[in-house]
Amino acid sequence: MRLGVLDVGSNTVHLLVVDAHRGARPLPAFSHKEEMRLAAHLEGDRLTAEGEARLTAFVRDALRIAEDKGVENLVAFATSAVREAGNGTEVLARLRASTGVDIQVLPGPEEARLTFLAVRRWFGWSSGRLLVVDIGGGSLEIATGIDEAPDVAISLPLGVGRLTRDWFESDPPSAERVRELRRHVRAEIARHVGEVSRYGRPDHAVATSKTFRQLARIAGAPPSSDGPLARRELRHSDLTEWADKLARMPVAERAGLPGVSERRAPLLPAGAVVADAAMDLFGLRVLEVCPWALREGVILRRLDMITG
């Protein structure tokens, strides 16, 4: 069937159309996205009228595109920006009334579980115990397990959009603010290391998300033009070197690095701080970057439900 997935993230709102059936790899057919930065449209803990209007306009466009592309089934979900908005339930109710689209808010641990499912399906059972790390716009997800459902799934408020907005006032950020953020991130992750490490060392450590893909590309991984099957890795030794460099670069210089867009360049210093902390605290020398993440996990779960 042709399936549409509407992903309302903290940074990007994305409609992905795929051709999929159970037991086969979902094949992307069309992609429509906007870097809406919904998290930046929060005043206090409430999504602003402008943010709601932009989201509603995007959903209307997505519905038109989905119809044009022959989508048979549409699944829509939202992550941390809407999840944490005090008026998120009201906003989604109004959106549902005006467009007919029922956007489900994913709890943080469910994000981690669905991302883990996608990674398991991509790499298969031969990977043994997986440890999956995903850096989003609003949150960091960590999961580990030997099956399709992880033994533990954790979500922490350490997304790149959130941290950049809350911690960095200048470009480039001051060395003191970078040190303060580093201490904060490491303290947050360290509280949960025991929950993960009690299950033993992973056989395969995996990273997902655009932040990790860009960090790996900067460190020498193959470009996206080589396709999803090209092996991409991020070594901790390379990351620590680049984390320092990125924090000292102005955003215009970061935007000139391989695989880095102008819109994502401001987020990279915070992303490198989080990635460095996760790899260090979990003792990971290398992470393999998986092309599948949360959206694919949602697709796979929906296919299991439809055809199961």
Side-chain angles (χ1 to χ4, degrees):
M1 69 167 58
R2 179 153 282 197
L3 180 66
V5 180
L6 180 60
D7 174 359
V8 181
S10 298
N11 282 326
T12 304
V13 183
H14 190 173
L15 172 68
L16 179 65
V17 177
V18 298
D19 292 319
H21 62 271
R22 192 175 184 184
R25 178 172 60 125
L27 297 175
F30 187 81
S31 175
H32 172 58
K33 60 185 174 181
E34 179 183 340
E35 292 199 28
M36 195 173 294
R37 302 276 176 93
L38 273 183
H41 289 281
L42 291 174
E43 288 185 355
D45 69 341
R46 297 179 66 82
L47 187 65
T48 64
E50 180 186 355
E52 180 177 349
R54 291 188 63 188
L55 176 58
T56 301
F58 184 93
V59 171
R60 292 188 188 280
D61 284 344
L63 281 174
R64 176 183 52 78
I65 292 168
E67 181 178 331
D68 288 346
K69 299 301 178 184
V71 168
E72 302 170 58
N73 193 289
L74 179 69
V75 56
F77 66 91
T79 56
S80 63
V82 176
R83 183 169 66 232
E84 295 172 11
N87 62 340
T89 301
E90 305 161 31
V91 168
L92 295 185
R94 286 192 292 268
L95 196 150
R96 183 169 57 250
S98 64
T99 67
V101 176
D102 186 14
I103 299 177
Q104 297 295 312
V105 177
L106 291 181
E110 183 65 7
E111 280 192 58
R113 284 189 284 269
L114 288 168
T115 302
F116 184 90
L117 171 64
V119 173
R120 171 61 75 194
R121 294 273 180 97
W122 180 268
F123 287 114
W125 300 111
S126 63
S127 287
R129 173 165 293 280
L130 286 171
L131 173 62
V132 178
V133 186
D134 177 277
I135 304 174
S139 57
L140 164 71
E141 275 70 49
I142 303 164
T144 186
I146 59 173
D147 297 316
E148 288 201 338
D151 296 315
V152 61
I154 298 166
S155 180
L156 303 175
L158 299 176
V160 291
R162 179 198 302 271
L163 297 180
T164 301
R165 184 179 66 253
D166 293 349
W167 289 82
F168 294 160
E169 300 91 0
S170 61
D171 172 44
S174 69
E176 180 57 30
R177 287 303 274 169
V178 174
R179 282 194 295 271
E180 290 172 356
L181 176 60
R182 186 176 183 273
R183 286 195 293 269
H184 168 72
V185 167
R186 285 174 175 257
E188 284 285 320
I189 295 175
R191 294 189 187 105
H192 300 273
V193 168
E195 295 175 54
V196 176
S197 61
R198 66 189 292 264
Y199 290 98
R201 293 283 303 172
D203 300 301
H204 193 182
V206 178
T208 69
S209 76
K210 186 169 288 186
T211 294
F212 272 117
R213 289 199 300 272
Q214 290 185 335
L215 290 170
R217 178 72 185 103
I218 291 168
S224 58
S225 58
D226 282 9
L229 298 182
R231 185 181 177 90
R232 295 174 174 87
E233 292 183 339
L234 177 62
R235 297 189 175 280
H236 189 222
S237 56
D238 294 331
L239 176 59
T240 53
E241 179 181 342
W242 272 104
D244 290 337
K245 290 180 181 178
L246 290 167
R248 294 194 301 268
M249 287 181 180
V251 67
E253 189 175 348
R254 280 179 242 134
L257 294 170
V260 179
S261 67
E262 186 175 347
R263 287 180 177 271
R264 299 284 303 187
L267 309 178
L268 274 178
V273 168
V274 176
D276 177 41
M279 294 188 77
D280 188 16
L281 290 168
F282 287 109
L284 307 174
R285 291 189 308 105
V286 62
L287 285 165
E288 183 170 1
V289 180
C290 179
W292 281 5
L294 177 59
R295 275 188 296 275
E296 288 76 15
V298 170
I299 291 167
L300 294 166
R301 175 70 58 80
R302 175 53 65 96
L303 287 172
D304 288 348
M305 292 172 61
I306 292 173
T307 60

